[in-house]
Amino acid sequence: MINELKKNCAIALVALSLGIIAGYFVSESLSKPNTAIATNTAPATTAPAAPKLSRAELEQRYIKAVVKQGFRVDETNLNALTDKQLNDEVARLEAISNPKVTNSN
């Protein structure tokens, strides 16, 4: 009977150690990025870029957005903005007045 108990304990310990080893490898394989799945050769489809607006068009949209907010336009501040800053400001003001607009140039 003692031999049977020793045998069962040995089997349980071997099974436990195999389970721990298997669990470790499963955990490691899940924590690493799977590059086999990520090797998609099809090019990613992106939306076509919106055409760049000229400085005059950006200024018109900026003035319209500022007036719509109930403020007056300061020409000095408008002239001090770079094209990128002006574009960002137009996008921000238009997003405030129309939350559905999320695409900026």
Side-chain angles (χ1 to χ4, degrees):
M1 174 136 161
I2 292 183
N3 285 338
E4 185 74 27
L5 183 60
K6 287 182 181 180
K7 182 177 145 186
N8 287 340
C9 285
I11 291 172
L13 287 175
V14 169
L16 180 63
S17 62
L18 290 176
I20 289 171
I21 292 170
Y24 170 78
F25 284 115
V26 168
S27 173
E28 286 297 311
S29 69
L30 292 177
S31 66
K32 294 178 185 174
N34 192 351
T35 56
I37 294 174
T39 57
N40 187 2
T41 58
T45 58
T46 58
K52 284 267 191 191
L53 297 176
S54 68
R55 176 73 183 200
E57 292 170 326
L58 282 174
E59 288 178 356
Q60 289 173 356
R61 286 177 65 179
Y62 176 78
I63 292 169
K64 183 179 176 182
V66 168
V67 170
K68 190 173 186 179
Q69 294 294 324
F71 299 107
R72 70 176 182 84
V73 178
D74 185 3
E75 292 290 328
T76 308
N77 290 339
L78 180 62
N79 293 332
L81 294 173
T82 65
D83 287 349
K84 181 179 180 341
Q85 291 172 331
L86 184 59
N87 184 42
D88 293 344
E89 194 63 20
V90 167
R92 185 184 69 82
L93 290 170
E94 287 179 348
I96 290 171
S97 62
N98 185 9
K100 293 181 182 178
V101 175
T102 58
N103 187 12
S104 66
N105 293 329

